[in-house]
Amino acid sequence: MQDNELVKQAIAAREQAYAPYSRFRVGAALLDDRNNLFTGCNIENSSYGATCCAERTAIFKAISEGAKQIKTLAVVCDSDDYCRPCGICRQVMSEFSAEDFRLLSARPDGEYEILTMEQLLPASFHLE
Ligand code: THU
């Protein structure tokens, strides 16, 4: 799948967002190491801390269905600007990112910037 197709999938996934509190919808779409597609949206909760971001929704769907590594992840927000993942999502991405992982940080018009894991989370934590 082409990068711009993955961005379109993220834009479509954003439609499923459950965001009655922030009214800020986010969509994500990823390709795993087998080239399988998974999508996600943010899912909020009246107990705000229970909210799950779009990126983690997509990642947890993928891992729970057998994905081992994520090759590409597209994310789009309810903002005209390029969508940047939060710190918690960056940490979760770093756990499952393939060597050549790329984040497609997209705008609603389909334009996107490409960021590497090192750009997103330099000098990251690893347990050992
Ligand atoms: N959100 C995401 O889905 N991904 C991010 O990387 C940042 C924030 C969601 C969480 C919440 O539902 C809304 O955006 C406002 O913070």
Side-chain angles (χ1 to χ4, degrees), residues 91 94-95 97 117-118 121 123-128:
Q91 179 64 31
S94 81
E95 186 86 20
S97 54
M117 201 62 242
E118 184 58 27
L121 197 64
S124 62
F125 170 76
H126 292 284
L127 192 65
E128 88 165 341

Side-chain angles (χ1 to χ4, degrees), residues 18-19 22 24-27 41-44 51-56 75 77 83-87 89:
Y18 177 74
S22 72
F24 189 78
R25 301 170 308 148
V26 186
C41 59
N42 54 330
I43 304 169
E44 298 187 343
T51 291
C52 190
C53 291
E55 300 92 315
R56 278 177 290 138
V75 62
C77 296
C83 189
R84 306 298 200 208
C86 80
C89 288

Side-chain angles (χ1 to χ4, degrees), residues 33-77:
D33 46 321
R34 308 161 300 181
N35 269 329
N36 286 338
L37 170 72
F38 295 92
T39 61
C41 59
N42 54 330
I43 304 169
E44 298 187 343
N45 194 278
S46 56
S47 176
Y48 298 162
T51 291
C52 190
C53 291
E55 300 92 315
R56 278 177 290 138
T57 301
I59 293 168
F60 294 154
K61 281 171 67 179
I63 299 303
S64 68
E65 293 187 25
K68 300 297 176 215
Q69 291 202 307
I70 299 161
K71 286 173 67 172
T72 316
L73 191 154
V75 62
V76 65
C77 296

Side-chain angles (χ1 to χ4, degrees), residues 6 8 19 33-34 42-43 54 63 72 79 82 96-97 99 101 106-107 123:
L6 197 61
K8 281 186 190 161
D33 46 321
R34 308 161 300 181
N42 54 330
I43 304 169
I63 299 303
T72 316
S79 150
Y82 297 100
F96 301 110
S97 54
E99 197 73 56
F101 173 83
R107 297 192 317 212

